[in-house]
Amino acid sequence: MVLIRIRSRWLVAAGAVAALVGLVAAAAQLFFLPSFAAIERADTLQHIQRVTDALRDDLRELERQAADWAAWDDTYAFVTTRDPTYVTSNLPNATYADLRLNLFLLYDRTARLVYGRGFDLESGRQRGLPPSIDSHLTPQSPLLRHLTVDSSVAGLLLLPEGPMLVVSRPILTSERQGPIRGTLIWGRFLSRWEIRRLGELTQVDLSAAPASNGARLSPADLEVTHRGGIVRHVEPVDRHWIAAVAVVPDIYRQPGLLLRIVVERDIMAQGRRTVVYFLLSFAVAAALAAAISTMLFDKLTASRRAWLRSEHQYQTLVQIASPLAILTLDREGRVLSWNAAAERIFGWTAEEVAG
């Protein structure tokens, strides 16, 4: 019977430990892991933010360089004179390679093409102009409408030949004064080589595709795009990988380019390991505490029983061996106990006086 009671206490302790560990595990799932997920999401957004920042830096640098060429007396004169010396002196293949240009266009103030050249950066050779570019260079195009000397258009142009960074500036004197004599337009394709360069620069696995190919934008996202902003989202791929996408608008403020990165879920993996280690530590500590408590309870119970036995034995010994009459009464004076000496002295047995 005693063994059964001991086993029952240990089973109860084990059940209590298991229930407590289960509650802590549930709390970890509800509170700890979501915190790690939030940190992971913020970290992944920072990765895609670096990519879009690098793309914007490229566009700003292209715009700065184009502004220097557009506000230059030599360019200002060439639009009118069309002196071939300007081209031979300033626009060899090395210039296109140094500026990483695929497109160089000069228009006069009537929106007529004065000079146009395409260039293949991979082969280092001249190429024809992209056939689809003409539809974006009408007199009503924002690329050819500069009403003030500080006017500028810079952004993304989505062509069938591929996405292109494009910059348009009014042609001015070297003092950046008018009247505006025409328009300078530069273009750089976001080729696979350029996308790979951006990925290496930001240390991510980067891919790019037209936003129309799979981009599902909510009305709120479209509103951001229409204001010229970049939409960014994070989407877990599986247990081990997480992706982030950024939708870059074109110069017309429509969804243009979809940039996507995929990174390992190191933060969530660390979070899961942390939770597991915490639960194991908590389970071991709880089990030790339960074992120690159960052992102390067993010892306390055994000590109590031994003390009761000793007290009973002592009382029995006193009752039998004492030469004095020992009796106990309740509050009403009724006899509760009556030892052997009392029987000898008073002549009544314990049975006779009880009660």
Side-chain angles (χ1 to χ4, degrees):
M1 182 65 69
V2 174
L3 183 60
I4 293 175
R5 289 179 180 176
I6 293 175
R7 286 181 177 177
S8 298
R9 283 197 294 272
W10 281 98
L11 288 175
V12 170
V17 169
L20 189 59
V21 171
L23 288 174
V24 173
Q29 292 289 332
L30 290 174
F31 300 107
F32 291 168
L33 289 183
S35 298
F36 280 102
I39 296 172
E40 177 188 62
R41 183 179 182 278
D43 182 71
T44 309
L45 283 174
Q46 286 182 353
H47 285 302
I48 197 66
Q49 177 78 48
R50 290 205 314 272
V51 172
T52 55
D53 286 347
L55 185 63
R56 279 176 167 168
D57 289 343
D58 280 354
L59 186 60
R60 290 191 189 102
E61 180 62 17
L62 189 65
E63 185 178 18
R64 185 192 65 78
Q65 293 172 333
D68 291 340
W69 279 70
W72 185 25
D73 288 340
D74 288 7
T75 306
Y76 197 76
F78 174 73
V79 174
T80 301
T81 65
R82 306 196 183 193
D83 183 356
T85 305
Y86 175 86
V87 175
T88 57
S89 300
N90 300 306
L91 296 174
N93 289 349
T95 299
Y96 288 85
D98 291 342
L99 296 173
R100 302 199 339 262
L101 289 182
N102 296 109
L103 184 69
F104 193 113
L105 301 174
L106 293 174
Y107 284 81
D108 64 17
R109 58 186 177 184
T110 63
R112 287 185 303 179
L113 181 65
V114 175
Y115 174 82
R117 184 181 178 186
F119 189 79
D120 189 337
L121 289 171
E122 294 186 14
S123 65
R125 297 179 181 179
Q126 183 176 350
R127 61 183 295 181
L129 298 178
S132 61
I133 194 69
D134 289 340
S135 63
H136 299 280
L137 297 173
T138 63
Q140 294 75 31
S141 170
L143 294 172
L144 293 175
R145 297 189 65 185
H146 294 290
L147 303 179
T148 62
V149 295
D150 58 353
S151 173
S152 177
V153 176
L156 179 71
L157 197 60
L158 206 61
L159 303 176
E161 295 83 3
M164 173 182 282
L165 294 181
V166 64
V167 174
S168 173
R169 298 285 299 196
I171 296 176
L172 308 169
T173 66
S174 296
E175 290 76 23
R176 301 186 184 274
Q177 299 296 321
I180 296 173
R181 191 165 281 185
T183 302
L184 176 144
I185 298 174
W186 282 4
R188 178 188 299 157
F189 278 115
L190 288 174
S191 61
R192 286 180 295 178
W193 182 86
E194 280 290 329
I195 295 299
R196 183 167 62 250
R197 185 188 65 83
L198 280 174
E200 292 173 354
L201 180 66
T202 53
Q203 299 182 343
V204 293
D205 181 13
L206 177 64
S207 61
S212 56
N213 294 351
R216 298 183 180 89
L217 299 181
S218 66
D221 292 339
L222 288 173
E223 180 64 25
V224 173
T225 302
H226 294 162
R227 294 197 303 267
I230 297 177
V231 176
R232 301 177 185 87
H233 288 297
V234 174
E235 48 188 26
V237 178
D238 53 31
R239 186 179 177 86
H240 305 290
W241 299 94
I242 188 169
V245 297
V247 179
V248 182
D250 61 13
I251 61 172
Y252 306 109
R253 298 192 173 185
Q254 297 296 321
L257 188 66
L258 178 70
L259 298 173
R260 187 174 188 266
I261 64 170
V262 179
V263 296
E264 288 191 79
R265 305 189 69 177
D266 294 333
I267 295 177
M268 279 302 293
Q270 181 62 42
R272 294 188 186 97
R273 287 193 295 269
T274 300
V275 170
V276 169
Y277 294 153
F278 171 75
L279 289 177
L280 288 175
S281 302
F282 182 82
V284 170
L288 288 174
I292 293 172
S293 299
T294 303
M295 292 172 61
L296 290 176
F297 180 78
D298 289 342
K299 288 184 178 181
L300 182 62
T301 302
S303 176
R304 174 67 177 172
R305 289 173 178 170
W307 181 80
L308 291 175
R309 284 196 300 270
S310 297
E311 184 181 24
H312 177 71
Q313 291 172 355
Y314 173 77
Q315 289 179 352
T316 301
L317 179 62
V318 170
Q319 290 280 351
I320 295 174
S322 176
L324 301 176
I326 299 175
L327 58 152
T328 56
L329 308 175
D330 61 14
R331 291 182 178 180
E332 284 74 25
R334 290 188 291 268
V335 176
L336 297 178
S337 66
W338 187 275
N339 70 345
E343 290 182 351
R344 292 194 304 273
I345 294 172
F346 296 110
W348 291 302
T349 65
E351 290 76 11
E352 291 175 330
V353 298

